[in-house]
Amino acid sequence: MDAMLSGVLITLIFYAMLGTNERMDVRYAAIDSQIGFKRALLLASDSLVLTGGKPGDWDERVIGDYGLASFGLASAPNVLDYSKLARMQELNMTNYTEMRRALGLAKSNVSIEVLPLGGGGALYAFGTKPDNETTAAVFERLALLNGTTVVVRLEAG
Amino acid sequence: MRKGFIMSVDALVALGIVMVMLGMVLPYSKTPTYEMENRNHMQRYASDALFVMLKSGAVDAALAGNRTAVTSVLSLTSPGKCLALKAYAMPSGNLSFAAQKAGCNGIALDAVGTAADTYYNGTFYSVEMVGWLE
């Protein structure tokens, strides 16, 4: 009787653990994907505020498909380039897909806003806000524009 | 007596097995967090704040005794993010000035930071910015 009972209990525990493992696999795959996405967003924000993109004079060129290796807005680390910001806004309608690909966020909706520190309307805006706010991620970075501190807000999802 | 002893050992072994199984399952049941990613984000934010202050001349002004620009940037940063700035004269290591965002008390144990050197009025300074989530 004892042996039967313990056998049943061990079988139940074994199946419970098996089920838990399967649920955990699914859960951790989702977490991996979310962490990978946040890492991509972090690197994209680095590219925006610390680099001028590749080629560095992309703001003076005609941008075709795969014409932009990386997308950056800075003339020096943490110093934004007025010309690149103005060009970014111009390209919003025509080169949105190419520019989010160059940011490494080709599969997501991407929104970039340059805002005054402390709040206020966007000085420059680019892209489309993510459809689903709950799965979207936001990274805020600080930079200088014409000697004034601004917030570069990158949102994707 | 002997039977009782065997039952006790039996119970102890069973308890051990249950504890081992629980130990294997419990770590997975914790709610996952993105702590590392949040820390990376905060580290970047603190680094940005430091370099913005260095490049705008706010740190130089603070070293000269005028902390208005430094305090202004700190106070306008995003709600929920805390920052603290310190500058040390080199090589003595003496604290030249310290500023912290208003409303952020102390420095959290999980704070992240960055440092850079600057040269002002004939002296080298090591300037560090520390950031944490409120």
Side-chain angles (χ1 to χ4, degrees):
Chain A
M1 183 66 183
D2 258 6
M4 270 177 66
L5 196 63
S6 63
V8 168
L9 276 175
I10 286 171
T11 309
L12 282 176
I13 291 171
F14 177 75
Y15 278 107
M17 286 180 72
L18 214 64
T20 307
N21 274 346
E22 279 168 10
R23 280 196 301 277
M24 286 304 139
D25 283 348
V26 172
R27 198 166 164 191
Y28 275 85
I31 293 164
D32 274 352
S33 154
Q34 184 67 10
I35 287 175
F37 170 64
K38 281 201 163 189
R39 179 65 48 88
L41 203 60
L42 184 72
L43 294 175
S45 74
D46 275 348
S47 179
L48 281 179
V49 298
L50 302 178
T51 78
K54 277 186 186 170
D57 62 347
W58 64 263
D59 51 315
E60 293 163 10
R61 295 182 182 213
V62 175
I63 304 294
D65 284 349
Y66 295 93
L68 200 57
S70 74
F71 183 26
L73 297 169
S75 56
N78 293 108
V79 181
L80 297 181
D81 185 330
Y82 168 81
S83 161
K84 286 187 165 72
L85 287 167
R87 182 80 170 130
M88 171 187 81
Q89 206 154 256
E90 276 176 26
L91 293 173
N92 193 19
M93 297 300 285
T94 54
N95 294 70
Y96 172 60
T97 305
E98 171 63 8
M99 290 172 91
R100 67 181 178 168
R101 186 199 59 75
L103 267 179
L105 298 167
K107 292 177 185 170
S108 311
N109 277 333
V110 176
S111 160
I112 302 165
E113 288 178 314
V114 178
L115 305 152
L117 184 67
L123 304 168
Y124 295 92
F126 171 85
T128 309
K129 293 257 185 195
D131 299 326
N132 189 348
E133 289 289 327
T134 52
T135 57
V138 179
F139 267 72
E140 285 188 352
R141 303 293 299 261
L142 299 174
L144 286 173
L145 176 62
N146 293 333
T148 307
T149 308
V150 293
V151 177
V152 178
R153 190 174 195 273
L154 174 63
E155 188 174 358
Chain B
M1 179 68 182
R2 191 180 167 81
K3 196 176 176 184
F5 174 74
I6 290 170
M7 290 291 278
S8 300
V9 172
D10 200 24
L12 207 66
V13 170
L15 188 66
I17 291 171
V18 169
M19 296 290 272
V20 167
M21 285 178 167
L22 278 176
M24 286 166 72
V25 172
L26 279 180
Y28 294 97
S29 65
K30 282 179 74 178
T31 305
T33 60
Y34 305 107
E35 194 182 335
M36 195 62 201
E37 295 310 310
N38 287 337
R39 282 167 65 85
N40 282 341
H41 185 192
M42 199 60 227
Q43 198 277 333
R44 296 293 208 286
Y45 197 81
S47 173
D48 287 345
L50 174 61
F51 285 101
V52 157
M53 287 184 191
L54 282 169
K55 291 184 176 184
S56 66
V59 169
D60 284 355
L63 288 169
N66 179 2
R67 295 187 196 177
T68 311
V70 161
T71 317
S72 167
V73 172
L74 288 176
S75 67
L76 293 172
T77 51
S78 303
K81 290 188 174 95
C82 286
L83 293 168
L85 178 70
K86 284 182 182 175
Y88 300 92
M90 301 306 286
S92 68
N94 292 335
L95 181 68
S96 296
F97 79 85
Q100 186 162 331
K101 184 175 176 181
C104 296
N105 298 318
I107 292 177
L109 288 174
D110 61 348
V112 288
T114 189
D117 293 337
T118 189
Y119 183 74
Y120 175 74
N121 209 16
T123 307
F124 281 102
Y125 294 88
S126 175
V127 190
E128 66 173 39
M129 180 73 81
V130 176
W132 65 98
L133 291 170
E134 208 171 11

